[in-house]
Amino acid sequence: MEINVITLFPDFFTSALHASLLGRALKKQIATVNLINPRDFTTDKHRTVDDVPYGGGVGMVLKPEPIFAAVESVPNMAPREVIMLTPQGQRMDQNLFKDLSTNYRQLILICGHYEGIDERVQHLVTREVSLGDFVLTGGEIPALTLMDGVIRLLPGTVGKKASLEQDSFEDGLLDYPHYTRPPVFRGWEVPEVLRSGNHGAIAHWRHQQQLEATRKKRPDLLPEGEIDHGQ
Ligand code: 4G0
């Protein structure tokens, strides 16, 4: 998959993209990321990317020309999606990551800034996506979040396919508790069942723990039929 990020702050991405699992995936060419700065597509002496809003008001608005030029500098590789990160977008979730990772060859992520982007940029956009119901200084953190979520689903990024299947959310439930050695730490014991070697009992215990954690912390994730109001 090819991911192109349109951003006034390309440096923001460099260390995150080199670290950890993401860095390894890019090195293995599971995905390629191009950072594209609209400022490089300006034609005036001051390399202007923003201007005052028509109709007045505070703050600046990103001009359409540098963003169109940046997006149009990317050779089209269908199927592709042009995604703008804004607070008005569809909330990102695991289903979106799965859709993007399986159905597209190319993504273009447009990171907005300031008070907003000229509305005519919408003519480039096929989807608006949001990280959540809050406002940030720019779309860079939402874009990085989306890239992390999508790239880790591409074949070869995460070691075992099984490890993805075990993900929290893969079955719509929260994760079960994990333990490693030592068997007793500061008096807190690893649950006996996990050391029993009884794989059936372990699978049952983990599923019960998932249901219990989901009921307690995120009951909204449970389908109506599975809501157990407990005691
Ligand atoms: C475009 C995304 C970009 C418009 C971007 C702000 C939060 C998110 C930006 C605006 C962002 C998110 C209209 C405020 C940049 N903040 N929740 N800031 N407006 O995903």
Side-chain angles (χ1 to χ4, degrees):
M1 168 177 273
E2 182 192 275
I3 306 178
N4 303 277
V5 189
I6 313 298
T7 173
L8 290 168
F9 301 94
D11 293 346
F12 183 91
F13 293 89
T14 45
S15 97
L17 291 175
H18 283 98
S20 169
L21 209 69
L22 225 45
R24 224 171 314 143
L26 298 182
K27 209 164 154 194
K28 283 163 70 180
Q29 295 188 43
I30 290 162
T32 54
V33 175
N34 304 314
L35 302 171
I36 302 163
N37 191 340
R39 204 177 286 283
D40 295 337
F41 294 85
T42 53
T43 52
D44 66 312
K45 189 170 124 217
H46 296 104
R47 313 222 306 153
T48 311
V49 292
D50 59 358
D51 205 341
V52 294
Y54 270 114
V58 289
M60 300 292 270
V61 176
L62 288 181
K63 292 166 65 61
E65 305 96 312
I67 296 174
F68 269 78
V71 171
E72 287 168 355
S73 76
V74 179
N76 193 332
M77 237 164 54
R80 84 161 169 185
E81 200 79 289
V82 181
I83 299 172
M84 179 137 81
L85 289 309
T86 75
Q88 291 94 357
Q90 168 205 354
R91 184 86 73 85
M92 61 180 88
D93 60 16
Q94 195 64 26
N95 290 327
L96 175 74
F97 294 161
K98 193 142 213 186
D99 176 28
L100 295 176
S101 70
T102 51
N103 297 325
Y104 298 93
R105 269 182 81 195
Q106 185 179 53
L107 301 180
I108 296 192
L109 307 180
I110 302 177
C111 303
H113 255 267
Y114 306 98
E115 271 62 43
I117 308 191
D118 188 286
E119 188 64 19
R120 290 164 290 188
V121 169
Q122 291 292 347
H123 292 292
L124 289 169
V125 172
T126 57
R127 279 202 216 235
E128 278 187 274
V129 171
S130 168
L131 183 55
D133 291 337
F134 40 76
V135 177
L136 304 168
T137 58
E140 279 77 10
I141 290 172
L144 196 51
T145 304
L146 184 147
M147 280 194 278
D148 189 293
V150 169
I151 292 172
R152 71 180 284 281
L153 295 180
L154 296 174
T157 303
V158 171
K160 287 192 203 116
K161 192 164 169 264
S163 137
L164 282 177
E165 281 164 3
Q166 293 221 343
D167 272 0
S168 175
F169 292 114
E170 189 57 29
D171 49 13
L173 297 174
L174 299 185
D175 206 359
Y176 53 78
H178 299 260
Y179 293 88
T180 185
R181 285 176 290 196
V184 184
F185 172 69
R186 298 193 178 180
W188 298 303
E189 280 187 31
V190 173
E192 186 58 44
V193 62
L194 296 179
R195 294 186 285 150
S196 68
N198 182 340
H199 299 292
I202 291 169
H204 177 76
W205 180 85
R206 284 177 170 167
H207 188 63
Q208 289 306 116
Q209 292 289 315
Q210 286 190 278
L211 287 172
E212 182 60 16
T214 309
R215 187 182 69 76
K216 263 202 198 142
K217 301 179 189 177
R218 292 294 307 280
D220 56 298
L221 293 177
L222 289 172
E224 296 294 326
E226 271 187 78
I227 298 176
D228 175 0
H229 296 281
Q231 285 293 358

